[in-house]
Amino acid sequence: MSTAVSALMSEGRAVAQHRPWPRVVVSAKAWIGMTNALVEGRLTLLGLWGETTAIHAALIASETNEICVASLECPDGRYPSIGKAHPPAIRLERAAKDLFGLTPMEAHDTRPWLDHGRWKRGVEEPGAPPPYPFLTSEGESLHQIPVGPVHAGIIEPGHFRFTANGETVVRLEERFGYAHKGIETLMAGATIDRAARLAGRVSGDSTVAYALAFARAVESALEIEAPPRAQLLRALMAEFERLANHFGDFGAICNDASFVLIHAHCGVLREGVLRLAERCFGHRLMMDRIVPGGVANDLDTGAPAAIIAFIAEARTRFKHLVSLYDTTASLQNRTVTTGILSPTLARQFGAGGYVGRASGRAFDARRTPGYAPYLDLRFEVPVLTHGDVDARVWIRIREVEQSFGLIEQILNRLEAGPLTASLAARDEAHEGIALVEGFRGDILVWLRLENGVVSRCHLRDPSWFQWPLLEAAIEGNIVADFPLCNKSFNCSYSGHDL
Amino acid sequence: MRTLLLEGIVKAPLTEPAPTPDPAALAEIGSRVDAAAKKRLGRSLSIRQVDAGSCNGCELEIHALSNAFYDLERFGLRFVASPRHADVLMVTGPVTANMREALERTYMATPDPKWVVAIGDCAVDAGIFAGSYAVVGGVSAVIPVDLHIRGCPPNPLALLKGLLALVESSAE
């Protein structure tokens, strides 16, 4: 049976040095055919990024889970818009326009996205920035509430423009780019070491996942593999990171429903994970501990026992908190049926992580396409379909339980061995791509190595396909439930803004 | 819930003993707090946190200051929701071009006397992001800074030691 991916493959010209999945240079006609396949749901968009004279789309086939990258050369800086027919591409196209000047033809939304008129191609623009026209809402008794970029809590910068009728949100429009640091430009020409450090600072809460995705992309490009012990230690760090963030989110969601007790206890559990990370890997967030080729440091002999002891205690304490969440009516009253995301939208946007899995999309990059060592480990991918705040809480709870089990399996499999594989430098261009499951969802890293340095690297945060869905989930809810909905999504600002 | 609450009463607190103020921070902040301000503020300071473009790593550790182990409020320090209520602006990140104006306006909205604490290596000199077209620089490139707490990110104990230096200076 011919799938959408194999159709692209047969029509395009395959790029030789691209691993592990193929990249094909396609015609404008095939690009439009690909857009149709996205609209019809035969393909899901994994990423869309630009270069000076080309636009690339990473895709996964819905039925076969085949992955490929389609590239369209656009020497005149223009290409047929995907976003005009397939909304998940809109913000990615706007970003590619801001960063590389590539114009999506016939796109409906031509407003800049990351570019606030404060910089332009390497030079900061003087003078007042141009006004940003927000989308309009029409109707009686509507009022607008602007929020941000400086928020009331300890939160990253972003702007939310609510249009409300009384207490009910009629429209939410997000505006981002405030945390844009020009990371992809800093990466161009950087050594692999420096680029790895930058990748680890795309989104601080996912530093392990980003470092892992970057390392795997480098290793794919160079056709090497990290040694087995390093693969296991990487997964151990990734599960620590998932635990720390899920504990934090579970507590913070309850806190936003004014139930502080769970928040306080989750804060203790989260701190426990961070201290364990410090104990085992020498850094609370485990920054720069995963490096291309392997890992930066080993566990000492006492570490496994410390980990086992923590897991045993955390399991018991977490169980009490879950039971408290499940039996507190006032808390459930806030989370159940609040901020519902439909499975249709989750599927259309290819939403990853707990956002997708709480709305019926059973995608987990650890399983599909899968990578070492997860292919040999037993774990379940929890999926729910009711798509509300409560469902996103329960997905996190189930994932915490799975992470406990994964950590135990990882420790059981640890055997002595080398920690790094050497990176053989090559002069000709070779490209690598990786898809890694962070706590928030799947992170895509695509890069090209040339003359021993990174010549182009694109990092796609899961938030790109989750933030737009928050706008949909909040519609019809009251303004006061926004913090709760927002926290249940917990999208990244820095990871999105790059 | 009752079990959890009872345990909270019976069990020993998790809170760490108070660390001593960081001497380097004391030296940096010492001359910045004048007598009038000390008289007005005493030992209590309200903090408004502003993320001017960080990777969010520093925010995670700032959040940790409020957990049971570090319990920031026992030192008279608390986070507030508006710069209008603040004595201290706690700023993270390299300041991005897109956040510069928001940071300036937040600073202007904070009543005098006020202090600015720059958190993390990026807030000193833009750190690893230095040289980007989209980054203005460290916090002091945009607003005057009274105290730097370094680290990538600084851990909660380092944050606490720096902030205690600020409290000590304002209460001397």
Side-chain angles (χ1 to χ4, degrees):
Chain A
M1 193 182 77
S2 163
T3 67
V5 162
S6 51
L8 272 172
M9 296 290 301
S10 61
E11 285 174 43
R13 170 173 58 83
V15 175
Q17 300 290 336
H18 189 279
R19 293 182 182 86
W21 307 300
R23 175 162 87 85
V24 286
V25 179
V26 300
S27 65
K29 184 166 164 263
W31 184 267
I32 291 166
M34 173 192 87
T35 304
N36 291 336
L38 284 166
V39 172
E40 290 159 13
R42 288 182 286 127
L43 289 175
T44 300
L45 192 63
L46 286 177
L48 182 75
W49 65 97
E51 281 192 271
T52 324
T53 57
I55 185 91
H56 308 284
L59 309 149
I60 184 165
S62 306
E63 293 202 349
T64 58
N65 292 323
E66 291 168 279
I67 295 175
C68 83
V69 176
S71 305
L72 177 65
E73 282 165 3
C74 32
D76 62 346
R78 301 183 320 151
Y79 64 96
S81 168
I82 299 175
K84 70 166 184 174
H86 189 58
I90 293 175
R91 288 179 178 177
L92 290 155
E93 288 184 348
R94 290 166 70 188
K97 165 85 176 162
D98 292 349
L99 299 178
F100 291 95
L102 300 173
T103 304
M105 290 184 288
E106 297 176 49
H108 301 306
D109 193 341
T110 55
R111 295 173 297 170
W113 181 238
L114 300 176
D115 184 353
H116 292 192
R118 313 268 180 174
W119 43 262
K120 202 84 182 174
R121 300 291 152 78
V123 185
E124 206 183 324
E125 269 201 347
Y132 183 83
F134 282 93
L135 302 176
T136 52
S137 305
E138 287 175 15
E140 274 184 60
S141 310
L142 297 182
H143 65 283
Q144 285 202 340
I145 310 171
V147 179
V150 179
H151 295 155
I154 301 169
I155 318 175
E156 299 181 79
H159 182 87
F160 298 106
R161 183 66 59 99
F162 296 93
T163 304
N165 181 318
E167 282 198 274
T168 307
V169 178
V170 174
R171 163 171 253 162
L172 162 66
E173 188 180 357
E174 298 155 351
R175 189 188 184 198
F176 296 133
Y178 293 93
H180 178 69
K181 295 178 271 291
I183 291 176
E184 294 193 355
T185 304
L186 287 171
M187 283 230 174
T191 61
I192 292 175
D193 284 353
R194 175 173 153 77
R197 289 174 57 80
L198 278 164
R201 284 156 183 81
V202 168
S203 182
D205 53 19
S206 302
T207 178
V208 170
Y210 268 97
L212 178 57
F214 180 82
R216 289 191 61 85
V218 169
E219 289 154 13
S220 288
L222 296 177
E223 292 181 86
I224 58 167
E225 266 190 34
R229 185 172 176 86
Q231 308 264 25
L232 286 165
L233 291 179
R234 286 173 168 191
L236 185 59
M237 289 188 232
E239 297 312 314
F240 277 6
E241 184 172 83
R242 200 177 322 279
L243 278 181
N245 282 301
H246 281 356
F247 284 147
D249 282 359
F250 178 39
I253 292 167
C254 296
N255 193 45
D256 278 341
S258 301
F259 200 79
V260 188
L261 184 65
I262 291 181
H263 179 53
H265 282 272
C266 281
V268 172
L269 284 173
R270 178 182 159 84
E271 180 71 16
V273 182
L274 299 188
R275 289 181 175 202
L276 192 62
E278 166 97 45
R279 157 78 181 76
C280 295
F281 299 105
H283 190 284
R284 285 162 56 89
L285 304 180
M286 298 165 283
M287 268 178 177
D288 308 323
R289 268 39 185 186
I290 293 180
V291 295
V295 292
N297 54 338
D298 204 353
L299 291 181
D300 63 48
T301 47
I307 297 170
I308 294 290
F310 174 79
I311 296 294
E313 196 193 338
R315 214 177 225 143
T316 315
R317 285 162 58 174
F318 189 63
K319 207 181 288 172
H320 288 306
L321 299 180
V322 172
S323 139
L324 184 56
Y325 172 79
D326 201 21
T327 54
T328 304
S330 62
L331 185 52
Q332 299 266 315
N333 184 31
R334 294 291 306 279
T335 59
V336 175
T337 72
T338 303
I340 296 174
L341 172 68
S342 76
T344 313
L345 276 177
R347 193 168 54 243
Q348 183 189 12
F349 277 74
Y354 40 75
V355 173
R357 293 194 279 274
S359 293
R361 184 169 183 264
F363 184 82
D364 187 320
R366 292 176 293 176
R367 174 86 26 99
T368 314
Y371 49 92
Y374 291 104
L375 294 168
D376 301 325
L377 303 176
R378 289 184 319 278
F379 65 103
E380 283 168 26
V381 178
V383 184
L384 293 168
T385 50
H386 49 293
D388 53 5
V389 172
D390 179 63
R392 290 185 283 277
V393 168
W394 276 108
I395 294 291
R396 286 176 170 94
I397 290 172
R398 295 293 175 236
E399 288 182 10
V400 163
E401 292 161 358
Q402 294 300 317
S403 286
F404 287 151
L406 281 167
I407 289 171
E408 287 167 341
Q409 292 176 59
I410 290 166
L411 290 178
N412 284 336
R413 284 165 181 262
L414 271 181
E415 283 175 22
L419 296 180
T420 51
S422 67
L423 306 177
R426 292 157 65 171
D427 286 343
E428 78 277 18
H430 34 289
E431 301 168 344
I433 183 169
L435 198 64
V436 159
E437 190 73 17
F439 88 97
R440 182 178 278 125
D442 50 295
I443 293 168
L444 177 93
V445 170
W446 177 87
L447 52 77
R448 177 184 298 130
L449 303 176
E450 229 165 337
N451 303 316
V453 298
V454 176
S455 61
R456 174 81 179 97
C457 177
H458 172 69
L459 312 113
R460 195 271 300 144
D461 196 87
S463 307
W464 280 98
F465 299 125
Q466 296 168 339
W467 272 126
L469 300 176
L470 179 61
E471 293 184 350
I474 190 66
E475 200 183 313
N477 286 258
I478 58 172
V479 176
D481 276 343
F482 178 70
L484 198 55
C485 293
N486 192 21
K487 196 71 220 179
S488 74
F489 272 65
N490 192 20
C491 301
S492 170
Y493 299 70
S494 180
H496 165 282
D497 291 352
L498 280 174
Chain B
M1 181 151 73
R2 264 174 298 177
T3 324
L4 280 171
L5 289 171
L6 273 174
E7 272 181 9
I9 296 168
V10 177
K11 278 190 178 171
L14 296 165
T15 316
E16 303 278 340
T20 50
D22 179 21
L26 272 175
E28 187 182 0
I29 195 79
S31 55
R32 304 272 197 155
V33 186
D34 66 22
K38 284 174 188 169
K39 199 174 161 193
R40 230 174 277 172
L41 296 170
R43 297 191 67 95
S44 176
L45 296 173
S46 295
I47 305 171
R48 167 69 257 188
Q49 198 268 340
V50 182
D51 177 341
S54 89
C55 77
N56 194 33
C58 289
E59 276 65 32
L60 297 174
E61 294 298 55
I62 292 169
H63 266 294
L65 285 174
S66 299
N67 75 28
F69 292 90
Y70 305 105
D71 189 17
L72 188 67
E73 296 212 7
R74 70 187 146 140
F75 302 109
L77 297 163
R78 62 190 195 105
F79 290 105
V80 293
S82 164
R84 303 271 187 211
H85 307 154
D87 309 306
V88 176
L89 285 186
M90 178 184 270
V91 188
T92 60
V95 182
T96 62
N98 289 349
M99 270 305 285
R100 168 193 244 161
E101 186 187 342
L103 177 60
E104 287 169 343
R105 287 168 68 163
T106 307
Y107 181 75
M108 286 187 285
T110 311
D112 285 320
K114 60 188 165 196
W115 294 274
V116 175
V117 182
I119 304 287
D121 288 346
C122 295
V124 177
D125 57 3
I128 196 168
F129 304 108
S132 167
Y133 63 90
V135 167
V136 180
V139 178
S140 63
V142 179
I143 55 173
V145 174
D146 300 287
L147 175 64
H148 289 92
I149 303 176
R150 290 169 186 268
C152 186
N155 64 35
L157 207 58
L159 290 171
L160 213 48
K161 286 179 172 180
L163 290 172
L164 286 182
L166 186 65
V167 177
E168 289 300 318
S169 314
S170 66
E172 264 168 27

